[in-house]
Amino acid sequence: MTSTTRRTTTGTTTRTTSVTDLRATVERFWASAERRDWAAFAETLAADVVYELPQTRERIRGRERYVEFNREYPGDWHARVERIVAEPGQPGQPEQVVSWTHVTVGLEEMYAISFFTVDEDGRIAAVTDFWPEPYEPPAGREHLVERY
């Protein structure tokens, strides 16, 4: 077993999950969302997926509701993945993936950080999204930082 592979045994079935597999699942998630291919999007999700938005304290349970939430999301939005980091879980712990995504809705731009938990079947079991809003930094630290 390498640091990029985890082998789990369920009954008589053995499954190996690699960092490449984990990344590919989240890449398919974002690509199918961008294409509005809701059938492909649903295929990346576990039936009992849980989606959480901590800023608004909203939670959605279940594949059908989560797909519908995205299908009904207003505006002409587009998502471009900036970075994906995947880590296979240790025995008894879930697989974890984090994505940093650039999102545009009309002329508005923002970044999202999404934390994914992937189940033993290679499907997304949980998503927690953080949508930080840009703001001007407080005065008095200009001598320490550079703006970009």
Side-chain angles (χ1 to χ4, degrees):
M1 194 171 356
T2 70
S3 62
T4 61
T5 304
R6 182 180 103 171
R7 185 165 298 216
T8 59
T9 303
T10 308
T12 60
T13 303
T14 301
R15 174 170 168 73
T16 301
T17 305
S18 70
V19 168
T20 303
D21 294 338
L22 296 171
R23 286 181 56 86
T25 296
V26 173
E27 287 168 350
R28 279 192 315 276
F29 169 93
W30 283 117
S32 59
E34 175 63 26
R35 290 189 317 270
R36 310 306 194 260
D37 182 345
W38 302 120
F41 182 80
E43 282 298 312
T44 67
L45 306 171
D48 59 350
V49 65
V50 176
Y51 175 66
E52 293 184 335
L53 290 152
Q55 284 95 337
T56 59
R57 296 189 328 265
E58 294 175 288
R59 179 178 297 130
I60 298 171
R61 293 181 188 274
R63 179 188 301 142
E64 290 177 23
R65 292 172 65 102
Y66 184 45
V67 170
E68 195 61 28
F69 172 84
N70 282 280
R71 181 182 324 210
E72 293 178 3
Y73 199 86
D76 182 27
W77 58 267
H78 295 279
R80 183 183 75 238
V81 174
E82 297 285 330
R83 182 179 301 168
I84 295 176
V85 178
E87 178 179 304
Q90 300 303 314
Q93 297 195 349
E95 318 277 21
Q96 300 289 316
V97 183
V98 176
S99 71
W100 176 31
T101 310
H102 177 255
V103 178
T104 57
V105 181
L107 297 176
E108 186 178 2
E109 294 186 37
M110 62 193 92
Y111 288 91
I113 300 169
S114 305
F115 292 85
F116 298 87
T117 301
V118 179
D119 68 13
E120 288 184 358
D121 295 325
R123 294 183 190 236
I124 296 167
V127 182
T128 303
D129 268 350
F130 292 92
W131 294 86
E133 294 293 324
Y135 64 94
E136 288 301 311
R141 58 185 185 197
E142 297 84 6
H143 64 289
L144 300 173
V145 302
E146 71 180 60
R147 298 294 300 275
Y148 62 94

